[in-house]
Amino acid sequence: MEFIIITGLSGAGKSVAMRNMEDIGYYCVDNIPPMLLPTFYDLCEKSSDEHMKKIAVVTDVRAGNAFDDLFSALDMLKASQKKYKILFLDARDDILLRRFKETRRKHPLSDISKGSTENAVLLERDLLMQVKARADYVIDTSLLSQTQLRERISALFLGNAALGMTITCLSFGFKYGIPAEADLVFDVRCLPNPFYVPELKQHTGLEECVFDYVMKFEQTTGYVERMLSLVDYSLPLYLAEGKSQLVIAIGCTGGKHRSVTLTRVLYKHILESGQRAIVHHRDVIKD
């Protein structure tokens, strides 16, 4: 049985994640009190219904003081050798504040923060710090559209989430910020830039004209060789640590040309090595 616990910051996209989990075949329960997790797990495990073999539950600070029981519940599951994964949704404070302002929703902790959404966000982040540290999967939704978040969720969980480590190959632009969930970051701004070639400027690394341009340089082939060597050395070490998700981010200035090209190379290399991998180009469609 797959049992996914979804948690994270209010406004970071847990509802979108849950809806998408439901779309890809998970039985979903929202806002479950943490201490009910072991009991609910047992009920699902004993069920003969095939729909109860892939479960996703959301638990967060909406549970009030009951959320304090989360670690006790997780320890009970672990002591009973119940396998589960934690998906943590995160976002920058300024993004969360903007989302609450746009939707005019009340933050779950606003009452104890004397009506201040800003203080509520800071308090929640502090409360969830240890939960994030224990998460198997972390997705920063700060710069993701709802469609992109759904794509990330689907890529992570459409396969068997219980099998091995999932490697996310992520391209990005430094001008939009480094992905907070990245475990390894490669900076390829030192490589020849197609942006300054007029006939390539409006194309991306998803197109062969840009891909071939970037890869024809000796600087690029040398960089790729060393990058893949480090990745090949590191992956078994992460696996030995029991890591469920590894995010390898490759960044250039705008996230359209060089980073996309090298992320394609990395993704192909990891698949050929027999690892489970997904690819995501975060900023390729940004202006």
Side-chain angles (χ1 to χ4, degrees):
M1 184 176 73
E2 292 182 45
F3 196 87
I4 311 299
I5 300 171
I6 302 173
T7 189
L9 294 165
S10 301
K14 298 188 297 295
S15 296
V16 175
M18 185 188 67
R19 290 195 297 269
N20 192 63
M21 295 294 278
E22 192 169 45
D23 289 343
I24 62 176
Y26 282 77
Y27 182 85
C28 298
V29 178
D30 188 21
N31 199 17
I32 186 170
M35 282 308 294
L36 291 183
L37 289 174
T39 302
F40 183 65
Y41 193 111
D42 288 339
L43 291 173
C44 296
E45 196 171 40
K46 293 174 183 176
S47 174
S48 59
D49 190 340
E50 285 300 314
H51 291 94
M52 304 297 287
K53 299 307 177 186
K54 296 176 67 176
I55 309 296
V57 299
V58 176
T59 185
D60 53 33
V61 297
R62 288 175 296 169
N65 292 334
F67 189 69
D68 296 338
D69 298 325
L70 178 60
F71 288 109
S72 297
L74 295 179
D75 290 341
M76 289 173 64
L77 290 173
K78 185 176 181 180
S80 302
Q81 297 185 325
K82 308 291 189 183
K83 294 183 179 179
Y84 63 87
K85 302 289 186 183
I86 299 176
L87 168 63
F88 190 95
L89 280 297
D90 198 359
R92 298 198 319 253
D93 291 352
D94 61 310
I95 299 294
L96 295 173
L97 290 170
R98 189 188 72 195
R99 289 174 182 172
F100 274 102
K101 183 177 180 180
E102 290 174 348
T103 61
R104 298 185 180 180
R105 290 177 55 232
K106 181 181 177 181
H107 193 284
L109 300 180
S110 63
D111 287 343
I112 62 176
S113 299
K114 299 181 180 180
S116 169
T117 303
E118 183 175 359
N119 289 341
V121 168
L122 295 175
L123 175 60
E124 185 178 30
R125 188 174 296 283
D126 185 60
L127 289 172
L128 295 178
M129 188 179 303
Q130 294 184 52
V131 182
K132 182 179 178 181
R134 291 180 62 165
D136 299 282
Y137 309 99
V138 176
I139 298 179
D140 186 326
T141 67
S142 300
L143 299 176
L144 300 183
S145 66
Q146 289 194 13
T147 298
Q148 289 176 315
L149 176 56
R150 285 195 292 269
E151 289 173 352
R152 291 284 295 277
I153 296 290
S154 297
L156 279 175
F157 297 108
L158 267 177
N160 188 340
L163 297 178
M165 179 172 67
T166 300
I167 302 158
T168 300
C169 304
L170 173 63
S171 71
F172 72 96
F174 276 94
K175 66 187 290 185
Y176 302 110
I178 299 174
E181 70 266 43
D183 298 291
L184 291 174
V185 177
F186 292 97
D187 182 353
V188 297
R189 289 176 293 182
C190 56
L191 301 180
N193 192 353
F195 180 83
Y196 297 109
V197 180
E199 59 268 27
L200 297 178
K201 181 177 179 179
Q202 300 304 321
H203 296 273
T204 75
L206 295 174
E207 300 170 81
E208 296 311 307
C209 57
V210 171
F211 184 94
D212 292 341
Y213 176 86
V214 174
M215 294 303 299
K216 75 178 182 179
F217 292 96
E218 182 179 345
Q219 301 100 303
T220 304
T221 55
Y223 192 103
V224 167
E225 179 183 350
R226 291 161 176 81
M227 178 183 72
L228 297 182
S229 177
L230 176 59
V231 169
D232 288 342
Y233 179 79
S234 301
L235 290 184
L237 303 180
Y238 284 111
L239 278 168
E241 287 294 314
K243 196 167 180 62
S244 298
Q245 180 193 35
L246 183 72
V247 179
I248 305 176
I250 302 178
C252 61
T253 303
K256 293 179 179 295
H257 300 108
R258 294 165 291 179
S259 62
V260 175
T261 296
L262 267 68
T263 298
R264 288 178 58 189
V265 173
L266 175 65
Y267 176 63
K268 181 174 183 290
H269 176 79
I270 291 175
L271 286 181
E272 290 176 346
S273 69
Q275 300 283 345
R276 183 169 182 253
I278 61 177
V279 64
H280 178 64
H281 303 293
R282 192 190 71 180
D283 302 326
V284 71
I285 63 172
K286 285 187 170 67
D287 293 331

